[in-house]
Amino acid sequence: MNVAELLERFPRDDVVVLVDRSATPPEQVTASALRERALRCGAGLAARGLAPFTRIGLLAANCGQYYDVMFGAPAAGLVFVPLNTRLPAETQAYILEDAHVQLVISDAEHAPLVPPDMPHIVIGTAEWDDLVAHEPLSEAAAVDDNDIAVQIYTSGSTGRPKGVLLTHRNVTFTVLEYGAAMPGEVMLVSAPLYHKNASMSSKLAFANGATVVLLGGFTASGYIEAITEHRVTMCSGVPTMFALVTAEIASRVAAGHEVPDLSSVQRAFIGSAPLTEALYDDVQRLLPQAVVSNGYGTTEAVLEFGPHLEGKPRPKISVGHQHPKVELRLVDPDTGEDSDAGELWVRSPGVMTGYHNLPDVTAERLTDGWYHTGDLMTRDEDGWYYFVGRVDDMFVCAGENIYPDAVEQMLEKHPGVHQAVVVPVPDELKGQLPAAFVRAEPGHTLSADEVKQHALANGPAYAHPRHVWIVDEIPLASTAKIDRNGLVARASELVKADSP
């Protein structure tokens, strides 16, 4: 089954399946129109003489045309490569070269990030209009289940982005078995479509007879407005988004305004980052009639969990019960034995085939079809799973993976930085924030603000250290390695001391 054929599952062609609020005024798109747009885009790409499995990059903020390319590329037998708009030009260039992308489609805002020698079409230009003016393909290209459909990049432990290879079978299995959207549901999508949270939510909606209300970007006020205007029944997003929404409503109430009517929301799905019990309670109070769920999934394997097979109620911050179509193991990192506490391994038709051009990394993370997630979990006596943390040092800030080594390498490119160690510190809004201990080069005078500005200029904004401490020495543990645990504790103490 071609990924593009997910658009053929809607029971009625005349029903609105997309409300595109990135457009002014918002555009309503029916099932037949959305499918035709994708097939027109696919026809335009095919007319360029691109060979099967050619990589097509998309660098754009949320917009209705995003779906044209997301489904149009695989409809033409090509491979869709979503690009993170928050990455700097240097990293974009690396990804484009690594993936052998032959054409980039972008919006005008992000066009400057595309290398000048790369074939490039900007949405909204005459060239884009020509691309989507072709007669639509009569049907999506015939594909093998194991053909690559999507190559999506995720940061590696060394900071180099890794291309996750997802087949048509990987994607369609996940969408059709996930069961998170129901016919007639109105789903609000505001996270970036290059992110698995938003792209998977959209596919689930389109494949199951639901309607997507798409925001061009997230703001708390825009999120609330969309819910009330369109009577949204299902919300999805990362914990930070929901924290900002609850804060916005609290601020309005404190200013004497009425609480907005969010009674239409029946389900709230929070994922892509750890969910605290406090935020769960805040969201539940905000949406008392809704079922609030703590979601889990990785780019490499989205589907792991579902409801309890015996119908038992889900504990509030559990990530779920083992899905019946998925195999799961918890492996003790020290002994390698199965346990009720350990690293989550998953095996299913939804697991990636590997990392692009990284056979050694693939071999480390895939064993006989078992994907080693790197996430530590526990399982209770009823079979409910709970997220504990990462096996390695990676941490999550507002849904974005941050790898200390990558940030440290970037900081140490500053001529005044001799050594840098990046650790997480707790944050009520974003879960965790990066903080840095920095040792200056001898003879250099270095300020915390200078380090922060260097980070903002040379890496994604979400990864820049919010706290920087200039130190004389970096402490070592008894193993002669950096005492990261000690620095994590020290950073937490310093942040508390600085708090009002």
Side-chain angles (χ1 to χ4, degrees):
M1 180 181 182
N2 191 307
V3 167
E5 292 178 287
L6 292 171
L7 296 180
E8 299 178 6
R9 294 175 51 82
F10 213 88
R12 288 176 51 193
D13 283 346
D14 60 344
V15 174
V16 172
V17 296
L18 171 63
V19 179
D20 178 14
R21 289 179 65 92
S22 75
T24 305
E27 181 183 8
Q28 297 192 353
V29 183
T30 65
S32 61
L34 183 65
R35 185 167 56 249
E36 180 178 311
R37 282 170 48 163
L39 293 174
R40 284 186 183 277
C41 182
L45 293 170
R48 296 176 69 93
L50 299 169
F53 313 120
T54 294
R55 269 57 175 173
I56 305 298
L58 178 58
L59 182 65
N62 287 4
C63 59
Q65 293 88 343
Y66 205 105
Y67 296 122
D68 300 353
V69 184
M70 177 190 288
F71 292 103
L78 308 173
V79 178
F80 175 59
V81 183
L83 300 167
N84 185 334
T85 59
R86 300 175 71 180
L87 298 176
E90 179 184 1
T91 307
Q92 302 288 0
Y94 169 80
I95 292 173
L96 296 176
E97 180 179 357
D98 182 70
H100 305 297
V101 168
Q102 299 299 302
L103 172 67
V104 173
I105 297 171
S106 81
D107 57 14
E109 178 186 356
H110 298 97
L113 292 174
V114 180
D117 58 346
M118 172 65 65
H120 180 198
I121 296 176
V122 179
I123 294 170
T125 63
E127 192 172 7
W128 166 261
D129 292 341
D130 289 343
L131 180 76
V132 296
H134 286 73
E135 285 297 312
L137 296 170
S138 59
E139 59 183 3
V143 296
D144 184 89
D145 280 350
N146 295 320
D147 288 343
I148 303 301
V150 180
Q151 185 167 324
I152 181 170
Y153 277 78
T154 182
S155 296
S157 59
T158 62
R160 276 295 195 186
K162 302 192 300 289
V164 177
L165 299 174
L166 300 174
T167 66
H168 288 270
R169 173 64 167 156
N170 293 155
V171 177
T172 56
F173 166 83
T174 300
V175 171
L176 298 180
E177 296 294 341
Y178 206 101
M182 297 183 292
E185 195 145 42
V186 181
M187 180 185 292
L188 181 57
V189 174
S190 63
L193 283 168
Y194 63 73
H195 196 285
K196 68 176 176 62
N197 183 295
S199 63
M200 183 55 62
S201 294
S202 298
K203 292 185 181 81
L204 289 168
F206 296 144
N208 290 285
T211 298
V212 168
V213 176
L214 178 69
L215 299 186
F218 174 82
T219 65
S221 58
Y223 200 88
I224 294 167
E225 181 181 330
I227 291 175
T228 57
E229 281 193 22
H230 302 285
R231 305 303 295 163
V232 167
T233 61
M234 181 177 179
C235 298
S236 69
V238 300
T240 303
M241 293 179 178
F242 285 93
L244 290 170
V245 169
T246 58
E248 170 71 15
I249 292 177
S251 176
R252 292 185 185 186
V253 171
H257 299 292
E258 292 185 1
V259 176
D261 180 9
L262 306 181
S263 61
S264 62
V265 179
Q266 299 300 307
R267 294 197 291 166
F269 188 80
I270 309 174
S272 301
L275 172 65
T276 65
E277 190 167 335
L279 178 57
Y280 180 101
D281 291 339
D282 285 345
V283 175
Q284 192 67 82
R285 281 191 292 269
L286 180 68
L287 307 169
Q289 71 288 346
V291 176
V292 179
S293 298
N294 183 16
Y296 172 84
T298 68
T299 304
E300 294 88 345
V302 172
L303 177 61
E304 287 86 12
F305 303 108
H308 200 285
L309 298 180
E310 298 176 5
K312 293 184 178 181
R314 183 172 178 164
K316 63 169 62 174
I317 60 171
S318 168
V319 294
H321 192 272
Q322 180 174 339
H323 191 283
K325 297 290 184 69
V326 174
E327 297 177 81
L328 298 179
R329 297 172 61 189
L330 291 182
V331 178
D332 188 313
D334 296 323
T335 66
E337 300 295 326
D338 286 354
S339 173
D340 285 330
E343 181 187 6
L344 178 69
W345 289 18
V346 55
R347 184 166 67 180
S348 79
V351 171
M352 68 166 182
T353 63
Y355 297 107
H356 179 66
N357 285 342
L358 293 172
D360 292 342
V361 179
T362 298
E364 291 175 3
R365 302 299 293 272
L366 282 175
T367 305
D368 296 328
W370 287 98
Y371 169 58
H372 309 187
T373 67
D375 289 324
L376 293 171
M377 295 201 177
T378 60
R379 180 178 54 228
D380 69 17
E381 60 185 10
D382 290 322
W384 294 110
Y385 285 75
Y386 301 83
F387 179 83
V388 175
R390 289 288 299 174
V391 174
D392 55 23
D393 292 324
M394 187 276 286
F395 58 97
V396 177
C397 174
E400 297 283 357
N401 293 348
I402 295 180
Y403 296 86
D405 182 75
V407 184
E408 289 160 7
Q409 290 186 48
M410 178 266 293
L411 292 178
E412 291 176 5
K413 290 181 180 179
H414 187 288
V417 174
H418 175 74
Q419 187 179 18
V421 179
V422 173
V423 296
V425 293
D427 182 76
E428 291 184 359
L429 182 60
K430 297 190 175 183
Q432 292 175 305
L433 292 175
F437 291 90
V438 174
R439 181 183 177 187
E441 287 284 1
H444 279 74
T445 301
L446 195 65
S447 70
D449 186 67
E450 188 178 354
V451 174
K452 293 179 182 179
Q453 293 304 315
H454 171 78
L456 286 168
N458 293 276
Y462 59 77
H464 88 278
R466 309 309 199 274
H467 306 275
V468 176
W469 300 284
I470 310 299
V471 297
D472 293 329
E473 296 289 340
I474 299 294
L476 301 179
S478 59
T479 58
K481 296 180 180 180
I482 293 171
D483 184 9
R484 287 189 179 272
N485 290 336
L487 287 175
V488 168
R490 179 59 178 154
S492 182
E493 293 172 359
L494 289 170
V495 170
K496 288 181 181 178
D498 291 341
S499 300

